[in-house]
């Protein structure tokens, strides 16, 4: 399971790191809640278009690549991410479960109809109107106070119940319900491995804490697993 930290070395800011985290510079309630969107849709739109531009500039780092490699090396592997970027897919990971949606997808805030964004709409000061019902279009990401996509949560929870090991990478472990997945796995008998430069709530319960950057630790881990597989 990954969080914003796995994309940090691709130049994508995390949320809660002091100084550089988005929530230390911007107001989450204003920019990432249904109430904030209702109050000032233009402000929310412009902020997400700015972030979309940032994500389009970013390229996968060795951490993303190593997770795609680990999936190939393991008999069964599920990648669950809280990230709204597409860096896992760009690195070659298939079937990524996005718990918090995707910043590359858009839908109507009222009728939920998918919306394909045009170049003109991207540069606009306010969100476009839905072609079906005329309400405002919003990014298809999960905002504070909203439910997560139930199918993704169900699949992630089922995997947590049956997995042998859960590798938790670059998440503060502060956002519910994603934060529960490693705990569910641990209770079901799995080994929990946390990869993070900083200790936190996940490392506190993890069986193994690999302290450091995921772009440095994960390639070593993938190499070690590859060596085991080939008897090296
Ligand atoms: P956070 O910003 O809360 O946490 C980022 C984590 O990444 C921290 O624990 C950092 O120590 C760690 N980190 C920083 N650099 C790293 C690196 N190079 N390698 C590995 N780890 C590193 O981000 P998330 O836990 O993903 O929700 O946040 C969870 C959710 O909160 C996000 O999905 C977002 C946010 O509000 C929504 O947008 C719904």
């Amino acid at each position: 399971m990954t969080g914003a930290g796995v994309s940090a070395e691709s130049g994508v800011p995390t949320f809660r790191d002091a100084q550089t985290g988005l929530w230390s510079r911007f107001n989450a309630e204003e920019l990432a809640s249904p109430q904030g969107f209702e109050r000032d849709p233009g402000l929310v739109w412009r902020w997400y278009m700015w972030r979309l531009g940032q994500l389009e500039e970013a390229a996968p780092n060795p951490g993303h690549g190593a997770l795609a490699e680990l999936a190939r090396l393991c008999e069964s592997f599920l990648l669950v991410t809280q990230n709204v970027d597409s860096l896992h897919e760009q690195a070659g990971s298939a079937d990524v479960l996005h718990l918090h949606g995707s910043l590359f997808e858009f839908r109507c805030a009222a009728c939920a109809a998918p919306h394909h964004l045009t170049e003109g709409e991207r540069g606009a000061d306010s969100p476009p109107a839905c072609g079906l019902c005329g309400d405002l279009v919003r990014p298809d990401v999960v905002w504070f106070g909203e439910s997560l996509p139930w199918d993704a949560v169900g699949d992630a929870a089922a995997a947590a119940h049956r997995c042998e090991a859960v590798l938790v990478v670059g998440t503060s472990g502060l956002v519910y319900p994603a934060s529960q997945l490693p705990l569910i796995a641990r209770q079901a008998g799995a080994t929990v491995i946390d990869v993070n430069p900083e200790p936190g709530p996940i490392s506190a319960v993890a069986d193994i804490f690999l302290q450091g950057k995921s772009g440095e630790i994960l390639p070593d881990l993938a190499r070690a697993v590859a060596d085991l597989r080939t008897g090296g």
Side-chain angles (χ1 to χ4, degrees):
M1 178 178 92
T2 63
V6 77
S7 298
E9 288 155 88
S10 296
V12 179
T14 61
F15 293 93
R16 294 178 183 77
D17 281 293
Q19 316 286 324
T20 57
L22 289 174
W23 297 153
S24 62
R25 295 183 285 148
F26 298 100
N27 184 327
E29 210 278 320
E30 255 176 32
L31 297 167
S33 75
Q35 297 78 10
F37 187 62
E38 212 166 289
R39 249 192 322 265
D40 194 343
L43 177 73
V44 173
W45 185 253
R46 291 189 298 277
W47 192 68
Y48 276 96
M49 291 305 104
W50 169 70
R51 280 186 60 203
L52 181 61
Q54 265 189 343
L55 295 188
E56 283 170 339
E57 297 281 298
N61 67 60
H64 296 105
L67 287 170
E69 180 59 17
L70 278 169
R72 285 187 280 273
L73 291 166
C74 295
E75 253 163 59
S76 166
F77 188 96
L78 179 69
L79 182 51
V80 178
T81 188
Q82 299 167 82
N83 299 345
V84 297
D85 62 41
S86 61
L87 294 174
H88 286 307
E89 286 89 346
Q90 286 182 49
S93 286
D95 303 326
V96 182
L97 279 189
H98 282 269
L99 292 179
H100 293 163
S102 164
L103 192 31
F104 292 85
E105 286 167 24
F106 296 85
R107 66 172 167 86
C108 174
C111 75
H115 181 88
H116 187 74
L117 208 60
T118 66
E119 266 313 304
E121 290 169 347
R122 278 193 64 152
D125 274 349
S126 49
C130 170
L132 283 183
C133 76
D135 212 295
L136 295 180
V137 166
R138 55 166 282 181
D140 199 2
V141 298
V142 176
W143 283 335
F144 287 102
E146 292 186 319
S147 309
L148 276 64
W150 64 269
D151 48 345
V153 175
D155 288 353
H161 275 288
R162 64 168 188 262
C163 69
E164 278 177 54
V166 57
L167 185 59
V168 187
V169 182
T171 179
S172 58
L174 294 174
V175 174
Y176 181 88
S179 55
Q180 298 306 296
L181 292 170
L183 305 179
I184 294 173
R186 191 164 199 272
Q187 255 173 7
T191 301
V192 176
I193 306 159
D194 187 30
V195 178
N196 201 306
E198 305 293 336
I202 306 285
S203 66
V205 297
D207 299 283
I208 301 167
F209 177 38
L210 301 175
Q211 189 163 16
K213 295 179 174 181
S214 49
E216 293 167 6
I217 288 182
L218 292 179
D220 281 348
L221 192 62
R223 263 190 299 275
V225 173
D227 285 349
L228 277 176
R229 286 273 182 248
T230 56

